[in-house]
Amino acid sequence: MLSALSIRDIVLIDRLDLALARGLCALTGETGAGKSILLDALGLAIGARADAGLVGQGAEQGSVTAVFDLAADHPARTILRDNDLDAEGDIILRRVQAKDGRTRAFINDQPVSVGLLRQVGDELVEIHGQHDERGLLDVSGHRAVLDAFGGLEAKAAEVRKLWTTAAEARLAFAEHEASLAKARAEQDYLRHVVGELDELAPEPGEETSLAEERTLMMHSEKIAADLGEAQDALSGDGGLEARLNQALRRLSRAADQAAGRLDAGIAALERTLVEAADAREEIERAMRALEFDPARLERVETRLFALRAAGRKHNVAVDNLAALADRLREQLTEIEGGEAKLARLSQEADAARAAYMKAAETLSAARQKIAAKLDQEVARELKPLKLDKATFKTEVAVLKPGDAGPDGLDRVSFLISTNPGAPLGPLIKIASGGELSRFVLALKVALASRGSAPTLIFDEVDAGVGGAVAEAVGLRLAELARTAQILVVTHSPQVAARAQHHLRISKGGEAKSKTAKVATRVDVLDRQDRREEIARMLAGSTVTDEARAAADRLIESHP
């Protein structure tokens, strides 16, 4: 419930701090005293449209703070948690309106968007007045109201879940279908490219090895000449081997007379001859390997150029051609298997749609049934509210399957006819101001046991009625106050007498602000002051003893 309201510099209210209680609270005062200002201020705090004109004269900004005492499981706390805001203790909504039109919003002293403030505010307060187009007058919310009345929220939630599942299945099918269509268009090209690459059969590292072989063959003639000269130096006439052999023979002949002193030299020459022989064999082997083969060079160059041309064509490195072939081959396999996947996704989408339609049709049938019950309960409330000639109907229009949505197959709207034989039409368009408020009151009474915002505000719900009808209005407001906090702006003494709490709104006196000449005041009335105010409402400007006595009777009849 709304436990406290603080207003600073809003129109004629320069400073106001109110403590509010549960039950039915009447707000009374003469016309023009500022009752609407109080409601506008509260509306600002719960996210209503901002207006620089709300800032009081001489002030740079105005502000409104509303404090709510809520149950631990109230939906508003869930919204706060979902937005990483403190959800413990009292919920404090605050709005600052600057004179230049700028506005700031806060929840529990944390800055928030006005949209979030409004979302939370909608869970906390419902304002029903002659010009209110939200709440029960907003046709977009009628379906949810009917579901709440019939206890159909769980079924509606299941329908929304199935709708999401069906939508995701349709999207998956559509995306795969588009992907498959694109793949089919490229299928012939992919087969051609894979065929070319398979025929080429590239291998990783092949380019490097071919390039090295080509370079070697292109220089083989010069290398062979150098090897020939090296071979002549080793084994030709007068070459190294011949000279070493000659030196070895001479040392060997002299060895017998040298008493071992030539043995080391002889051994070294023998090792050198072995190494020289090895070197000669390696040179000969290299010469055989480097024999120039023009046909082999042509084959190497043809292969190398073919690989490089394929790399340029497909814009990949030559070493990645084999990986490209594997990837394109996988795409072809996916295309071939894509038809089976498409068929599976189609079946899943059809099954999800069928499950949604079944649940939506069940929900629609339940809505049709509960709509008749709601009509009956509202009809019972209309007669005592002097609307006995009026007709209320909950229209559940079943949409075409193609127009179905997350909330099911139904478009729900509350229609009325104020006179017999007159066509039914929307609440907001058919009813007059006073009738509209009483229709809303009848609906709220019918819906009272199904829950609503913890604080309900009725602005002149008794407009244009008196006597027994005003008494009936007060009775129903008191009934609503058993399950919610009710604030009613009223000119009816019968309604005010039903209230457990009474606030009198007046204009005049000396304002606390130096710049304001007139201010709106709000006084919490005790029993004596309440008696005087109800007497004023009965008698007008001049309060008589008869009016006071009548006020006593009204108050005593509604303890």
Side-chain angles (χ1 to χ4, degrees), residues 327-343:
R327 189 166 66 251
L328 296 181
R329 199 175 291 109
E330 288 177 4
Q331 290 183 23
L332 282 171
T333 302
E334 288 177 2
I335 293 172
E336 293 166 0
E339 297 291 350
K341 182 179 179 181
L342 186 66

Side-chain angles (χ1 to χ4, degrees), residues 133-307:
E133 295 186 8
R134 296 165 60 189
L136 293 176
L137 303 186
D138 184 358
V139 70
S140 66
H142 290 178
R143 181 170 45 218
V145 170
L146 180 63
D147 289 346
F149 175 77
L152 303 176
E153 293 100 326
K155 289 184 178 180
E158 179 64 16
V159 166
R160 282 190 291 273
K161 180 180 178 181
L162 291 172
W163 167 267
T164 300
T165 301
E168 290 174 349
R170 286 197 308 271
L171 180 61
F173 172 78
E175 288 179 345
H176 184 68
E177 186 178 40
S179 175
L180 191 59
K182 182 179 179 181
R184 288 193 195 105
E186 297 175 349
Q187 191 172 22
D188 290 342
Y189 171 73
L190 292 176
R191 285 200 184 100
H192 173 72
V193 172
V194 170
E196 281 187 340
L197 292 176
D198 284 347
E199 183 178 354
L200 185 62
E203 296 179 3
E206 187 179 6
E207 179 190 23
T208 300
S209 62
L210 288 174
E212 290 175 352
E213 184 179 0
R214 175 174 177 265
T215 300
L216 190 61
M217 285 192 293
M218 290 178 67
H219 295 87
S220 61
E221 188 172 355
K222 181 179 182 303
I223 294 172
D226 291 336
L227 290 174
E229 292 179 3
Q231 188 180 41
D232 289 342
L234 284 172
S235 57
D237 292 340
L240 178 62
E241 284 184 297
R243 291 196 298 274
L244 288 172
N245 281 318
Q246 184 180 10
L248 181 60
R249 286 193 299 271
R250 290 180 179 179
L251 289 178
S252 296
R253 286 197 301 267
D256 293 340
Q257 291 82 27
R261 289 180 173 82
L262 298 179
D263 292 348
I266 292 170
L269 284 173
E270 288 175 345
R271 289 196 302 274
T272 302
L273 278 169
V274 170
E275 291 293 333
D278 290 342
R280 174 171 43 76
E281 289 177 3
E282 290 298 327
I283 291 172
E284 289 173 352
R285 186 179 296 110
M287 289 182 68
R288 290 193 298 272
L290 287 171
E291 290 179 357
F292 181 66
D293 183 357
R296 173 60 184 168
L297 176 61
E298 183 178 359
R299 289 194 299 273
V300 168
E301 287 184 333
T302 300
R303 176 69 176 171
L304 181 61
F305 295 160
L307 289 171

Side-chain angles (χ1 to χ4, degrees), residues 63 70-71 76 92 110 123 145 151 157 165-166 205 248 280 282 292 295 311 370 401 424 433 454 456 478 492 546:
S63 66
L70 303 174
I92 304 172
Q110 296 297 310
E123 294 290 340
V145 170
T165 301
L248 181 60
R280 174 171 43 76
E282 290 298 327
F292 181 66
I370 206 65
L424 292 164
L456 304 179
S492 169
E546 290 80 1

